[in-house]
Amino acid sequence: MAVVSNPLITGQMIPLTTSNFEKQYPGITVKFATYTEGDLRADQLLERKPKALSGGQRQRVAMGRAIVREPKVFLMDEPLSNLDAKLRVQTRSQIAELQRRLGITTVYVTHDQVEAMTMGHRVAVLAGGLLQQCDTPRQLYDNPVNQFVAGFIGSPAMNLQTVPLTEGGVRLAGTTLPLPTSIRAAASRAGLSEIVLGIRPEHLHLADGTGELAGEVLLVEELGADALLHVRLAESGNSVVARTEGRVSLTPGQRITFRVQPDDVFAFHPVTGARLAG
């Protein structure tokens, strides 16, 4: 078992090429260079002492030191936290590839849901020390068991609004938004008069004035291939975020409408946060 945690304690880190380390682990220097060259880019750091390394470099060395021992299980506690944004993305894919190649079970702790979704075969979501759901990344995205998991998984986060129930659906942005029969039935069995409605940003589709939901553009975040629209909904004044194609020309103050497919809607109990069947 190998643990990657708190690599910045320099008193526990020595140059890998020292004779003492070689005596304890014969051939470890060559092995370290073999594993980390191209994967962690730490092979060029072999001759340096800890005080000569940046925080990110110390992090990479600590990971390399754990990897070369070929443990049965890796325990990684936010190993990318001290890396800059570009190296963080690069190292994330390298760790995933290294784990696939070595075939070693890895328990990876992170607060970054992008890391969890892109690196994990199974993801355990915890809140307040309690396990909320453990499943594949796709299942967490498609079938969250409660409001916490739904809001945590996905970037940008799911839009969550507390809305009153009406005949056939819910009241949102001055109109009735249809709900699947299964959600309406679950809400009726629970005796609810309102629910927490969840819609992911990518499920709000621009509709050229013909959509059910109307609102005013507050801000446009241009991301190149796509854009994030911050919109104030009609009537309620609540804000939502929508992901749209990046070449759509919109400006703050412009009135727009969205179309939402009933099957893309999530519903949660307003008190317990549990998902209502749908």
Side-chain angles (χ1 to χ4, degrees), residues 204-233:
L204 288 168
H205 307 286
L206 285 174
D208 293 331
T210 61
E212 306 98 331
L213 303 180
E216 177 187 351
V217 177
L218 298 176
L219 174 68
V220 180
E221 292 185 84
E222 295 284 359
L223 302 178
D226 53 11
L228 300 181
L229 307 180
H230 296 254
V231 179
R232 181 190 294 116
L233 294 178

Side-chain angles (χ1 to χ4, degrees), residues 33-193:
T34 301
Y35 271 111
T36 59
E37 183 178 10
D39 286 317
L40 299 175
R41 297 192 325 183
D43 53 299
Q44 68 269 32
L45 307 176
L46 287 172
E47 301 295 337
R48 300 190 194 178
K49 292 185 178 181
K51 65 181 180 181
L53 302 177
S54 68
Q57 289 170 335
R58 293 177 187 180
Q59 196 86 314
R60 284 150 56 196
V61 168
M63 291 182 61
R65 285 163 60 98
I67 289 169
V68 295
R69 297 177 64 184
E70 297 183 341
K72 292 184 179 179
V73 179
F74 285 129
L75 305 180
M76 296 190 178
D77 186 359
E78 301 201 58
L80 307 184
S81 60
N82 290 314
L83 305 184
D84 60 57
K86 182 178 180 181
L87 190 56
R88 190 182 183 112
V89 173
Q90 181 181 359
T91 307
R92 187 173 70 207
S93 62
Q94 290 169 342
I95 292 175
E97 169 57 22
L98 196 60
Q99 192 278 333
R100 184 198 64 78
R101 179 154 55 86
L102 297 176
I104 297 175
T105 299
T106 303
V107 179
Y108 189 105
V109 179
T110 179
H111 289 85
D112 187 331
Q113 60 100 3
V114 174
E115 287 182 17
M117 294 289 282
T118 56
M119 299 176 70
H121 297 93
R122 292 180 67 82
V123 179
V125 181
L126 289 87
L130 299 177
L131 179 65
Q132 305 296 307
Q133 186 173 357
C134 182
D135 219 320
T136 64
R138 173 52 58 186
Q139 279 294 103
L140 291 176
Y141 178 87
D142 288 338
N143 296 297
V145 298
N146 58 32
Q147 183 177 331
F148 178 85
V149 176
F152 180 75
I153 298 297
S155 180
M158 179 184 290
N159 297 295
L160 296 166
Q161 308 270 345
T162 299
V163 292
L165 288 164
T166 62
E167 185 67 29
V170 292
R171 184 74 178 177
L172 180 65
T175 188
T176 297
L177 188 68
L179 290 178
T181 303
S182 56
I183 292 180
R184 299 203 309 270
S188 177
R189 288 193 300 270
L192 299 176
S193 60

Side-chain angles (χ1 to χ4, degrees), residues 226-250:
D226 53 11
L228 300 181
L229 307 180
H230 296 254
V231 179
R232 181 190 294 116
L233 294 178
E235 191 175 90
S236 68
N238 293 334
S239 296
V240 296
V241 177
R243 185 189 295 275
T244 186
E245 200 272 328
R247 292 178 175 81
V248 174
S249 180
L250 293 171

